[in-house]
Amino acid sequence: SLAVVYWERSDMDAEGLLDKKVPDGYGALNADNLENPQEVRASSSYYASLFSSSRESLANAWTELRGREEGNLDWISLAVVYWVTLVSEGLRGLVLPSQWPFLETLHGSKSFLGVLVASFSLGRMISTVPLGFLSDNFSMKMVLVACSVLQILGNIMYTGATNKWAVLLSRLVVGFGSATMSVCRAHVTRSLPRERRTYHLAYLSALQFVGFACLPGLGGLMATLPEIGHGAFSLNEYRYPGYFLMFANIIAIALLMTMYEDPPPNSVQNRTASSATAENRNGSSASTGARPDFVAIFVCLVINVAFRGIVAQLETVAAPFIMEKFSVSLSTASYYVSCLGFVGLIVYVSFKPISRTFSDRLLVIFGLIVAVIASMLFLLFADHMPIVVWVSVLGLIWSIAYPVGQTAILGLFTKVLAGLPAGGFLGLFAAAGSFARLLFATAAGISWNNFGRLSVFREMAIYMTLTLIITTLFYPRLKSGRSI
């Protein structure tokens, strides 16, 4: 990246540097004049000045990437935030296809599977809000480093687990450490003006989506690796993800300690205030978002719970349902889920032009409608669908409704905050999502165990329909500041 920036900023290209003619008086440094000390000194002086100029250009490129000039974005720190987000969400995705087979080997039930999935969300829910407020008042770097250390500890426990309770405790610890999203979103919120936040938050959500929706494919690939050893800390299809995540978190800690810099406190707010002052001098109003609408904030949290809840239920039962209904292997089920994840990733990548065309609240309505339709299709026809149709209907929620609706409600939530502490309230947003995962994942396991697969789809259809009705009733209050 530095090389590219250097050549763009320099007054010469690579070919020009090699062919550049040495000015008169410096002499040419070659084999024919090495015996002439004066020409050697003159040539050395010229090439030393050329090297100094190159070094200065590289330094300027690094400063530009760092965003140290007023109004620039610190791309280096943002890249580290992206990596931390991917690793934190990979804690779910990599183990998603193998957690039920692993639990079966430890004599766990379907109901216990729901509790296991919920334990991860419980740990995340408990730590999300405190971490968000800590990031508002202390170093984001140290908060993220502490999270990575907890993730390493939890994965050590996971790879050494020999009973279902040890697995449960390890997922709880990993959940504590995975609550980085509120801190990462606060970094984006503090680093960017309002008009640029939605699609950068979409990039974060895309990485979050890759972590839990695309990485199951990597987990399926790990299931094909050879088994080495037996018992605790052995290498097998259930424990490989734990070792991989330990290594990924070690890389995260190294990047945080060497490359990451905290964003300046209230940098965005200060720029917004300066803009407001300038507008007031011109006689215009700068009252946009001055007073937060707490009803709109509450409705956004309800919508967030609904989207998180439906994904939590599918996260718990989708791969086991595919394996049970269609008699396919762990790796095959993983690849199906992972393919849907890549389709959803395309939606995330396309979100920038989508958000410029449609308002956040209209996109939320669209996501809810798609989720309701897919839930109804599952409820009515799930037992009669071939595997391709079944997975395609799953994709309506997994790859379309959730990416569009969840990203739009997040962007809308950051806008209705209107000056409230970003880290703390985004922590509340994330905690509400974790609560939804805890509640709905547990419900999915219990319903599947006691009432069969269709009961899970019935629950999904009911609460998504209710959420759509609530959103429609309060639609005028959900103002994103833009019109379609």
Side-chain angles (χ1 to χ4, degrees):
S1 297
L2 288 175
V4 171
V5 174
Y6 167 67
W7 291 119
E8 287 180 351
R9 294 173 62 94
S10 179
D11 60 351
M12 66 189 81
D13 56 15
E15 184 178 353
L17 177 61
L18 295 175
D19 296 338
K20 190 167 181 69
K21 189 174 182 180
V22 179
D24 294 337
Y26 282 105
L29 186 59
N30 52 49
D32 296 331
N33 62 13
L34 285 176
E35 296 180 358
N36 188 331
Q38 280 188 329
E39 291 193 10
V40 170
R41 282 195 298 272
S43 299
S44 299
S45 175
Y46 168 71
Y47 286 108
S49 66
L50 184 61
F51 175 76
S52 177
S53 176
S54 302
R55 185 172 57 184
E56 182 179 353
S57 296
L58 287 171
N60 290 337
W62 180 260
T63 299
E64 186 172 312
L65 286 173
R66 266 296 180 200
R68 287 181 176 135
E69 295 181 2
E70 182 65 25
N72 287 345
L73 177 62
D74 182 357
W75 286 102
I76 302 295
S77 296
L78 187 60
V80 177
V81 166
Y82 285 161
W83 175 255
V84 171
T85 300
L86 179 62
V87 173
S88 297
E89 294 305 317
L91 292 166
R92 285 191 290 149
L94 276 177
V95 303
L96 188 152
S98 62
Q99 58 188 352
W100 170 236
F102 188 21
L103 193 58
E104 279 190 307
T105 65
L106 302 175
H107 310 293
S109 65
K110 295 174 181 176
S111 296
F112 196 86
L113 172 64
V115 176
L116 177 64
V117 175
S119 66
F120 177 87
S121 298
L122 175 62
R124 175 174 282 190
M125 182 184 68
I126 293 173
S127 60
T128 290
V129 174
L131 290 177
F133 280 106
L134 284 173
S135 71
D136 281 333
N137 297 282
F138 300 98
S139 168
M140 286 186 176
K141 174 189 290 188
M142 299 317 299
V143 171
L144 293 174
V145 168
C147 288
S148 294
V149 171
L150 280 174
Q151 291 178 34
I152 292 173
L153 176 61
N155 281 298
I156 291 174
M157 297 168 63
Y158 187 83
T159 55
T162 56
N163 59 72
K164 64 182 182 180
W165 298 106
V167 175
L168 182 69
L169 181 59
S170 73
R171 295 301 291 169
L172 181 65
V173 174
V174 164
F176 279 118
S178 70
T180 58
M181 185 52 70
S182 62
V183 184
C184 295
R185 286 171 177 163
H187 177 100
V188 170
T189 302
R190 283 168 53 176
S191 303
L192 289 165
R194 286 165 57 94
E195 62 272 10
R196 296 177 62 189
R197 284 181 203 164
T198 297
Y199 49 86
H200 276 280
L201 288 170
Y203 298 154
L204 267 186
S205 296
L207 287 170
Q208 185 181 23
F209 189 78
V210 168
F212 81 83
C214 299
L215 287 187
L218 180 58
L221 182 62
M222 290 179 180
T224 64
L225 296 176
E227 182 175 345
I228 303 175
H230 300 281
F233 300 108
S234 60
L235 292 173
N236 57 39
E237 58 184 327
Y238 312 127
R239 304 177 196 268
Y240 273 120
Y243 290 108
F244 181 89
L245 290 166
M246 277 190 268
F247 179 70
N249 273 289
I250 291 172
I251 294 176
I253 292 173
L255 292 174
L256 285 165
M257 297 304 295
T258 59
M259 307 294 288
Y260 179 81
E261 291 183 1
D262 286 334
N266 301 319
S267 59
V268 175
Q269 288 86 338
N270 290 338
R271 287 199 297 270
T272 304
S274 299
S275 300
T277 301
E279 288 179 1
N280 284 331
R281 290 196 188 107
N282 293 328
S284 61
S285 172
S287 60
T288 302
R291 300 179 63 181
D293 185 342
F294 287 99
V295 173
I297 290 174
F298 178 76
V299 174
C300 286
L301 291 174
V302 170
I303 298 169
N304 175 46
V305 166
F307 278 120
R308 295 286 186 173
I310 195 170
V311 167
Q313 291 200 299
L314 292 176
E315 178 186 352
T316 305
V317 301
F321 277 11
I322 293 172
M323 288 186 282
E324 181 183 78
K325 177 174 173 54
F326 300 105
S327 302
V328 299
S329 66
L330 167 62
S331 59
T332 301
S334 302
Y335 295 146
Y336 275 119
V337 175
S338 185
C339 287
L340 295 181
F342 283 108
V343 174
L345 183 59
I346 295 173
V347 175
Y348 275 114
V349 172
S350 307
F351 199 83
K352 184 174 180 179
I354 293 174
S355 66
R356 286 176 172 173
T357 306
F358 303 100
S359 67
D360 290 333
R361 57 182 179 172
L362 187 61
L363 292 174
V364 168
I365 291 288
F366 171 79
L368 290 171
I369 291 174
V370 173
V372 168
I373 291 173
S375 300
M376 291 294 186
L377 289 174
F378 270 137
L379 180 60
L380 297 174
F381 307 111
D383 285 342
H384 309 289
M385 294 177 179
I387 187 170
V388 174
V389 176
W390 202 99
V391 172
S392 299
V393 175
L394 175 63
L396 290 176
I397 301 172
W398 197 264
S399 307
I400 298 176
Y402 180 78
V404 172
Q406 182 62 28
T407 305
I409 196 60
L410 174 59
L412 183 59
F413 185 76
T414 64
K415 293 167 185 173
V416 300
L417 287 180
L420 294 172
F425 275 86
L426 285 170
L428 179 62
F429 186 89
S434 296
F435 174 74
R437 287 184 177 279
L438 186 158
L439 179 64
F440 289 94
T442 304
I446 294 174
S447 298
W448 180 26
N449 188 64
N450 296 311
F451 306 108
R453 288 193 298 265
L454 288 181
S455 63
V456 179
F457 301 134
R458 186 178 301 111
E459 293 170 1
M460 290 164 46
I462 291 172
Y463 65 76
M464 292 309 293
T465 301
L466 289 175
T467 305
L468 177 59
I469 293 172
I470 292 171
T471 306
T472 304
L473 291 175
F474 289 95
Y475 185 83
R477 303 287 290 268
L478 303 176
K479 296 179 180 178
S480 64
R482 291 178 292 111
S483 59
I484 59 173

